Amino acid sequence: MMEENVLPYPQTENQIPLTATEPDPDNPQWGVVSGFGVWLASIFVLFMASALGAAIWLMVLKARGEIIPLQEEEMKQVLLSEGSILIQMAMNIIAHLATIAICWAVATSLGKRSFAESIGWDWRGPTALYKVALVVGISIVSIFIVSTLPRIIHDSQSTPFAEMLKTSQTVRYSVAFLAVFTAPITEELVYRGLVYSPLKRAIGMVGAIITATMLFALVHVPQYWGAWGSLTGLLLLSLMLTVVRAKTKSIFPSVWIHALFNSIGAIGIILGKE
């Protein structure tokens, strides 16, 4: 008599029996609509966080008795001041945490399933040495590509991101913090977790890789507008991260590759090389 809750197919000697309730990261309980909903929600939350941060700064200035400019260029300078950007960075951290909470709610159906198993956090199979070599190797390759492309493809020196970094050293530290500690896990959960998984089931691995790759690059266009070499590099980085997710069935290596890549970039930001 078949044991209860065990899937009715033969198990090989080395297979670990899967229970009927064990989540499969490539066959998630949520669909494509939910995945795209999470993507749109992540953009909306980040936009609202920045807008709220800017509004808070304007209220601070008004409370100080300062005149709020009405001209577009003057207002732009106010919103690009150190105080305004630091408040917006703080709000962006909250936005990242809110996005993670949204990912958890969708992936687990509000706690009904394991979050780690649903998104594919557990990286099974390879040895620890292989895992380290893969993460470090792909990180080095991606850093080399992204740093080389601007020398081949024209990069504007006055992108919105570059202008923001010129504000102050404190702003550079805040941007570096987000890049290393909150952005990698948040973005990997959205793009290689909630978006990729249902797409893979719906349109296949290749289609899911292309779609997730393009969506990741697309949201960075406003930030790096004019820096076409950097944008091309980010597109290739996204492609590598998504291929790793597809091949390993886990977002764990993608998170670490993303974090290592951003860490090198953060050092450049702090040293004023970005």
Side-chain angles (χ1 to χ4, degrees):
M1 184 174 181
M2 186 176 296
E3 186 177 345
E4 186 178 0
N5 288 334
V6 176
L7 293 177
Y9 54 75
Q11 300 289 333
T12 63
E13 182 179 354
N14 295 323
Q15 278 184 307
I16 300 175
L18 297 176
T19 65
T21 58
E22 184 175 355
D24 179 359
D26 280 355
N27 186 31
Q29 296 297 312
W30 64 93
V32 173
V33 173
S34 295
F36 273 91
V38 170
W39 175 63
L40 291 173
S42 70
I43 297 172
F44 177 76
V45 168
L46 201 58
F47 172 80
M48 291 303 297
S50 294
L52 181 58
I56 291 173
W57 178 243
L58 292 177
M59 287 189 289
V60 169
L61 294 180
K62 188 173 182 180
R64 291 176 180 175
E66 299 185 27
I67 298 175
I68 306 300
L70 299 178
Q71 298 296 324
E72 182 179 348
E73 285 301 317
E74 293 178 350
M75 177 63 76
K76 182 179 178 181
Q77 292 302 316
V78 169
L79 296 181
L80 282 176
S81 63
E82 181 183 48
S84 175
I85 293 176
L86 290 178
I87 292 176
Q88 290 180 60
M89 290 297 103
M91 296 303 297
N92 284 347
I93 293 176
I94 297 174
H96 283 169
L97 295 177
T99 300
I100 293 173
I102 293 171
C103 291
W104 173 86
V106 173
T108 67
S109 291
L110 297 176
K112 296 177 182 177
R113 296 183 295 273
S114 165
F115 184 49
E117 291 179 355
S118 295
I119 63 171
W121 183 257
D122 187 17
W123 186 9
R124 302 177 183 178
T127 64
L129 180 61
Y130 176 89
K131 292 177 180 179
V132 171
L134 179 67
V135 169
V136 173
I138 294 180
S139 298
I140 292 173
V141 170
S142 61
I143 291 167
F144 173 78
I145 291 174
V146 172
S147 62
T148 302
L149 279 173
R151 302 172 189 172
I152 303 172
I153 305 173
H154 174 70
D155 252 6
S156 171
Q157 299 300 312
S158 60
T159 64
F161 184 66
E163 292 301 313
M164 180 181 66
L165 294 179
K166 293 177 183 178
T167 306
S168 73
Q169 188 64 27
T170 306
V171 167
R172 288 178 174 272
Y173 280 118
S174 67
V175 171
F177 179 87
L178 260 73
V180 175
F181 294 103
T182 62
I185 182 65
T186 304
E187 293 180 344
E188 292 310 305
L189 279 174
V190 172
Y191 293 95
R192 261 61 68 172
L194 275 294
V195 170
Y196 171 83
S197 297
L199 279 173
K200 194 258 184 180
R201 181 179 57 200
I203 61 177
M205 180 184 292
V206 175
I209 289 174
I210 293 172
T211 304
T213 295
M214 296 302 295
L215 289 176
F216 178 85
L218 179 63
V219 298
H220 289 85
V221 169
Q223 188 178 21
Y224 290 95
W225 183 259
W228 310 121
S230 297
L231 280 172
T232 303
L234 284 174
L235 180 66
L236 293 176
L237 170 66
S238 180
L239 177 61
M240 286 187 281
L241 291 171
T242 314
V243 169
V244 169
R245 161 62 184 87
K247 294 297 184 181
T248 62
K249 294 185 67 174
S250 171
I251 70 166
F252 186 83
S254 298
V255 169
W256 277 103
I257 293 169
H258 198 153
L260 284 175
F261 175 88
N262 282 9
S263 295
I264 300 301
I267 293 174
I269 288 173
I270 292 172
L271 296 178
K273 298 184 182 299
E274 290 288 334

